[in-house]
Amino acid sequence: MNKVLALFAGILFSVHGFVVAQQQKISIIPAPKSVSMGSGHFELSAGTPIIAVSEDARKSAALFNQFLHARHGLTLKTSLIALPGKTIVLEESENFASEEGYSLEVETDKIIITGNKAGLFYGLQSLLQLIKNKDGSLQVPVLAIEDEPAFGYRGIMLDVSRHFFTTDQIKKMLDLMAYFKFNRMHWHLTEDQGWRLEIKKYPKLTQVSAWRDSTIIGQYYDFKPFIYDGKPHGGYYTQEEAKDIVRYAADRQITVIPEIELPGHSSAVLAAYPEFGSFEVKDGKALPGSIAAVNDKGEPHDNDLSQAVPGYWGVHYNIYGPTEKAYGFLEDVLTEVMDIFPSEYIHIGGDEVPKDHWMTSDIAQKVIKKEKLADEHELQSFFIRRIEKFLNKNGRKLIGWDEILEGGLAPNATVMSWRGEKGGIAAAKMGHDVIMTPNSHLYFDHYQAADKTTEPLAIGGFLPLEKVYSYSPVPDTLNVDERKYVLGVQANLWTEYIPTINKMEYFLFPRALALAEVAWMDREEKNFEEFSQERLPSRLKELEEMDVFYRIPEAQVQISKDEASGRHLVNIVPLVAQSKVYYTLDGHKADQTSNLYTGPFLAPIPGQDQDPLTLNYTVVTPKGRSSNQFSVEINRP
Ligand code: TNX
């Protein structure tokens, strides 16, 4: 950067953290740590070669080219040797201070990106986000960026068990994750409602456990008794497909962390292999023994032992037995899993395990006695420790949901804190690594508007963009030593109510862009206004061009008093670049037949005995997609 700084000494100005450029606005998400704007631009053309010597650099250059071609119809040549003239130079430098950091210098005749392997890749992602098409000319503003992430773990979890997504759909998600500098995809591969990974030793997992006959319609509480759609649902990834996803992600600097749930969330497995459950099996059927037919809330759960893969949601009672048979099965499965996934971490679930079956199972009670365990919680810890030993022996580390704290944490476990931050805080205080995924701020299956009737069906909750953005992964209650155990953050996309790719994209975007800044930026540098009003709009316009079905967010509506007229002045700024706003003030529906917003306007004042007016509006994107209808009360001036 010094070179560039010296070159433009008179005209450069530097802004730390977020970027306020006077001549040109840049809209990189997540915002780089420091940006110095110059003047002028570099113009990309077919004759601009990329100089990439190392293999990593060439790989990243090839991906850059793919994107450039898809977005702008341009493919650049790559060269192994330096060339005269305008060039883009990728300098892989193993002693670059930060593992994932990079520096990016743009001059009018040269672009230089320096960093380690991952850093180079991220430098190229930033470069892609800087390209502006001005009447057919692809321009990059002169500037200098120094950048590195705040957190090493920047993840998104995708549940493919409640609903199955194809490898092409997952690749599209990985492309988008890489573009916004995420580096972990947590792949939730097993659930009560479906098993999704081919395991050679246990063919019934894909023949039986991967399919359910039918799925409930509507929300869990909509119909009692449940109404089923009568359509089989399922699917799985062959080991080759899973390996292909692992490679595809690795090229984009993303590690795929597989999750194999235990001891609960195992109904689909036990439907095929009841012998791994907590009860004796006769003639291929589990014997319920003395099991209670109602749970502690008085709800019936006798269908748990029906040996069908369930098509309804909620916490299920099926649970592996603490038996050599079950451990053997799980170790066989994990052996094949480790062969597919090079990830240091293997996630073993551990969440939401009702202990009813163990309480009534002779097999489980015998183990509790023999091992002198206090209760079923300690039995769960005993179970998980055994699995941890197996993973550690094979050079892997165990991650589990925060319930693995109950009954005692396995010695080397990393905790994913989902029921708020409590579990994460407790684990960090015990010297265990933690990943923050609190359901208060990072559950992307939650609603995006307070008025649920305006939104597609979600599981519940309310998680607007701003709330995601406000999250800070390191709780204040941790001291300096304990803070280092917080490896980073992750959002979870549970898919009970997300059966389509459009819906998946709608729930992920734009919230994933807010999360990208939570994960990459220092807390003090984040600024929601600047993010949402200065940078988000052009990224959303671009996402539409990339065929991403993001949720069109509410516009920024400012209502201020106009002193001269005594009326309210209404100013509407949409958060999608070049979109249009249509509005009504009479309380009737706003759509593309309504008033086109062309600039701030004065609102009428209703009579004293009349209700205040409501502004209804809809945002229409450049490609013609309409947002939901949004409403804002205009109080009396
Ligand atoms: C809780 S978060 C679960 C999931 C559900 C999710 C719905 C966690 C570890 N378990 O099984 O899908 O809530 O939001």
Side-chain angles (χ1 to χ4, degrees):
M1 167 158 126
N2 290 343
K3 245 188 310 171
V4 179
L5 270 178
L7 206 65
F8 296 95
I11 38 173
L12 272 175
F13 57 95
S14 176
V15 186
H16 207 76
F18 58 90
V19 182
V20 193
Q22 270 157 12
Q23 307 100 315
Q24 342 199 28
K25 285 217 168 89
I26 68 166
S27 52
I28 299 175
I29 291 178
K33 206 170 170 87
S34 94
V35 181
S36 304
M37 296 302 299
S39 62
H41 59 260
F42 179 101
E43 193 177 332
L44 277 172
S45 62
T48 318
I50 306 177
I51 317 295
V53 180
S54 70
E55 200 187 321
D56 296 330
R58 291 211 309 280
K59 248 192 193 165
S60 289
L63 291 174
F64 174 84
N65 252 331
Q66 269 178 26
F67 185 100
L68 199 63
H69 183 75
R71 286 279 298 129
H72 304 288
L74 186 68
T75 307
L76 306 183
K77 296 208 166 53
T78 50
S79 163
L80 283 165
I81 49 163
L83 294 172
K86 277 189 169 188
T87 50
I88 300 174
V89 183
L90 303 186
E91 284 179 1
E92 182 161 3
S93 142
E94 275 171 20
N95 19 10
F96 198 83
S98 152
E99 178 99 1
E100 296 183 290
Y102 64 93
S103 80
L104 167 62
E105 298 171 14
V106 182
E107 301 171 27
T108 52
D109 61 350
K110 204 176 220 52
I111 294 179
I112 304 175
I113 302 177
T114 317
N116 287 299
K117 179 180 169 191
L120 280 189
F121 180 80
Y122 290 138
L124 284 167
Q125 302 313 303
S126 291
L127 177 58
L128 285 168
Q129 292 197 16
L130 285 169
I131 298 170
K132 284 226 169 86
N133 187 333
K134 293 230 168 81
D135 307 320
S137 139
L138 300 183
Q139 302 183 352
V140 184
V142 169
L143 50 66
I145 289 177
E146 297 286 337
D147 200 8
E148 64 177 350
F151 293 98
Y153 188 113
R154 305 180 300 279
I156 294 181
M157 185 224 67
L158 180 64
D159 166 11
V160 291
S161 295
R162 269 58 176 268
H163 284 101
F164 181 70
F165 291 90
T166 65
T167 51
D168 282 348
Q169 292 168 337
I170 287 169
K171 286 180 178 175
K172 184 178 176 190
M173 172 170 145
L174 287 166
D175 284 341
L176 290 161
M177 284 175 64
Y179 195 48
F180 298 108
K181 303 189 174 81
F182 287 98
N183 64 0
R184 298 285 187 282
M185 181 182 87
H186 167 178
W187 208 4
H188 188 79
L189 287 163
T190 74
E191 259 306 337
D192 294 302
Q193 296 84 6
W195 179 282
R196 302 280 173 246
L197 182 66
E198 176 192 28
I199 299 293
K200 306 246 175 174
K201 195 159 177 188
Y202 297 95
K204 280 195 282 180
L205 288 176
T206 40
Q207 291 158 1
V208 177
S209 310
W211 304 95
R212 57 178 186 257
D213 290 346
S214 209
T215 305
I216 61 167
I217 64 166
Q219 229 268 350
Y220 190 86
Y221 300 101
D222 283 350
F223 305 100
K224 284 285 154 65
F226 294 139
I227 300 177
Y228 284 87
D229 64 4
K231 288 188 284 194
H233 179 89
Y236 64 90
Y237 309 101
T238 64
Q239 297 202 350
E240 274 319 304
E241 285 171 328
K243 283 183 187 162
D244 180 43
I245 289 290
V246 168
R247 269 193 305 268
Y248 191 91
D251 285 347
R252 288 154 183 78
Q253 308 305 323
I254 297 171
T255 303
V256 180
I257 300 177
E259 179 179 354
I260 303 295
E261 279 262 25
L262 57 95
H265 288 278
S266 48
S267 303
V269 174
L270 298 181
Y273 296 102
E275 59 271 34
F276 303 138
S278 303
F279 299 100
E280 296 291 341
V281 175
K282 277 231 174 78
D283 304 327
K285 289 224 185 305
L287 294 180
S290 59
I291 184 161
V294 289
N295 66 21
D296 50 11
K297 293 186 212 97
E299 298 160 342
H301 65 93
D302 48 359
N303 45 359
D304 266 332
L305 294 172
S306 72
Q307 292 186 261
V309 178
Y312 66 99
W313 321 121
V315 175
H316 292 245
Y317 289 81
N318 275 314
I319 174 170
Y320 290 108
T323 62
E324 286 308 316
K325 263 191 299 202
Y327 298 137
F329 165 77
L330 287 165
E331 291 179 3
D332 289 342
V333 166
L334 290 170
T335 301
E336 293 194 31
V337 165
M338 288 187 289
D339 190 43
I340 301 166
F341 298 93
S343 161
E344 179 186 24
Y345 283 115
I346 306 289
H347 202 305
I348 56 79
D351 60 311
E352 299 178 327
V353 189
K355 306 295 185 301
D356 306 45
H357 282 198
W358 280 353
M359 276 152 59
T360 53
S361 140
D362 288 347
I363 298 172
Q365 291 304 318
K366 272 188 195 139
V367 178
I368 289 178
K369 255 208 200 109
K370 177 163 168 253
E371 302 295 337
K372 302 197 172 53
L373 303 171
D375 55 18
E376 290 73 21
H377 295 288
E378 286 198 4
L379 179 56
Q380 170 158 333
S381 285
F382 176 81
F383 196 113
I384 288 175
R385 277 169 214 254
R386 161 116 192 202
I387 298 293
E388 175 172 69
K389 254 198 211 133
F390 177 75
L391 289 176
N392 289 170
K393 197 175 76 196
N394 285 282
R396 306 302 178 98
K397 288 188 183 166
L398 175 147
I399 308 187
W401 298 109
D402 58 58
E403 286 94 331
I404 66 169
L405 281 152
E406 294 159 9
L409 197 51
N412 308 308
T414 295
V415 172
M416 225 171 227
S417 192
W418 74 275
R419 295 174 303 173
E421 292 184 322
K422 270 189 331 286
I425 292 170
K429 285 193 183 293
M430 291 159 65
H432 284 253
D433 285 340
V434 168
I435 295 145
M436 288 296 188
T437 73
N439 55 0
S440 54
H441 289 76
L442 300 179
Y443 266 46
F444 283 7
D445 55 342
H446 288 184
Y447 281 100
Q448 299 184 69
D451 179 359
K452 296 180 174 148
T453 62
T454 64
E455 286 291 317
L457 169 63
I459 198 160
F462 172 40
L463 182 63
L465 188 62
E466 187 162 7
K467 188 161 182 198
V468 176
Y469 198 87
S470 73
Y471 186 61
S472 168
V474 183
D476 293 333
T477 47
L478 294 181
N479 68 33
V480 180
D481 279 345
E482 292 157 355
R483 286 176 189 193
K484 64 172 190 285
Y485 294 113
V486 180
L487 305 181
V489 278
Q490 175 174 291
N492 296 332
L493 192 68
W494 300 104
T495 58
E496 287 96 330
Y497 300 103
I498 305 184
T500 67
I501 180 78
N502 273 3
K503 205 166 177 187
M504 167 174 150
E505 293 175 359
Y506 185 96
F507 278 73
L508 277 175
F509 299 101
R511 290 185 290 198
L513 276 62
L515 175 67
E517 300 227 327
V518 170
W520 188 271
M521 293 172 72
D522 291 332
R523 178 183 187 165
E524 315 74 55
E525 304 290 352
K526 285 191 300 159
N527 178 329
F528 183 69
E529 302 259 285
E530 195 271 334
F531 161 78
S532 59
Q533 292 176 34
E534 302 293 332
R535 288 180 290 114
L536 187 63
S538 47
R539 295 274 78 94
L540 289 183
K541 175 170 179 283
E542 183 183 43
L543 282 181
E544 178 167 51
E545 287 156 8
M546 290 157 78
D547 219 3
V548 177
F549 199 83
Y550 63 88
R551 176 181 185 271
I552 302 166
E554 289 79 353
Q556 205 67 37
V557 179
Q558 288 136 5
I559 300 176
S560 57
K561 192 167 169 188
D562 174 62
E563 292 304 336
S565 63
R567 291 157 69 181
H568 269 321
L569 186 69
V570 180
N571 184 23
I572 309 175
V573 185
L575 300 187
V576 181
Q578 289 164 31
S579 56
K580 294 186 176 131
V581 174
Y582 294 88
Y583 70 95
T584 65
L585 286 167
D586 53 16
H588 291 276
K589 184 182 180 209
D591 61 17
Q592 294 188 53
T593 66
S594 312
N595 301 301
L596 175 65
Y597 177 81
T598 52
F601 60 85
L602 292 169
I605 308 174
Q608 274 316 320
D609 52 350
Q610 291 174 308
D611 289 336
L613 298 180
T614 300
L615 167 74
N616 286 332
Y617 69 92
T618 178
V619 176
V620 179
T621 65
K623 291 195 163 200
R625 245 183 83 207
S626 287
S627 71
N628 303 328
Q629 174 175 286
F630 302 123
S631 303
V632 178
E633 287 287 295
I634 307 182
N635 290 325
R636 249 164 238 296

